[in-house]
Amino acid sequence: MSLPHEAQPPALTPPFCFHPTALQDFLRLSRATTDDPLLATLNALTPSAPFSPRSSSTPRPTRTSHRVPRTTCTSYLSSALFPAWHARTQALTYCASVATSPDPDDPELLARQAEGMRDRERVVDERLDPYSGRFFPKEPRTEELARKVRAERGIEGIVRGRSWDVVGGRCEGGAAEGWEEAVANWESGRGSKRGWV
């Protein structure tokens, strides 16, 4: 049931995390192939009644809320949605660990150190120029990465919350638990029958 054009999990390496757009591109593609079309995917999984010419001859009120059977939802969640979420979580967790680790390969480390030395040697007379005391050193790439990961985790929480609302609205039985608990159950059992999976 997984989508044919699903975002493949990337090879998790520090260059992947430090690349200006690789992490964000992976997350964006993964969201675009699983979360964005979720409603349409669940609608496609909804069983439809067989067509009968008599059914169209007399107008009848239509059921507006066809719900996807629980087993079909569980199968889709276990085979497509939760694995995509898991891959994104792994990428964010790995890049967060890279961001908190020392970065001996930082290409701008020497330039930042030299800039800091020049700033310490500089004589500042704020009476003549009140703005001369300002010094804005370029932040290390690990701090930039940490900021990017924090922002993407916030986005991920919003996307998952909205996707889970769609699942709760389209699947039989609704979503009795939050998405965090459902994912934790899936990860602990990889397909256990407790809860949604």
Side-chain angles (χ1 to χ4, degrees), residues 9-10 12 16-17 23 26-27 85-98 145 149 153:
L12 298 178
F16 165 76
C17 295
L23 174 63
F26 163 69
L27 296 172
W85 286 4
H86 181 71
R88 294 196 309 247
T89 298
Q90 282 184 316
L92 288 169
T93 301
Y94 177 79
C95 288
S97 70
V98 168
L145 178 60
V149 168
R153 281 186 170 159

Side-chain angles (χ1 to χ4, degrees), residues 64-137:
T64 57
S65 172
H66 296 289
R67 300 195 61 115
V68 180
R70 187 174 182 90
T71 55
T72 305
C73 266
T74 301
S75 175
Y76 175 74
L77 294 175
S78 296
S79 66
L81 189 64
F82 290 160
W85 286 4
H86 181 71
R88 294 196 309 247
T89 298
Q90 282 184 316
L92 288 169
T93 301
Y94 177 79
C95 288
S97 70
V98 168
T100 58
S101 301
D103 185 13
D105 299 328
D106 188 352
E108 297 175 357
L109 178 63
L110 295 175
R112 271 196 321 278
Q113 288 173 342
E115 186 180 2
M117 292 290 287
R118 280 193 306 271
D119 182 58
R120 282 190 289 276
E121 295 168 356
R122 190 171 53 159
V123 176
V124 176
D125 186 357
E126 290 187 9
R127 290 179 302 152
L128 297 175
D129 182 6
Y131 300 106
S132 64
R134 286 202 247 177
F135 174 64
F136 301 107

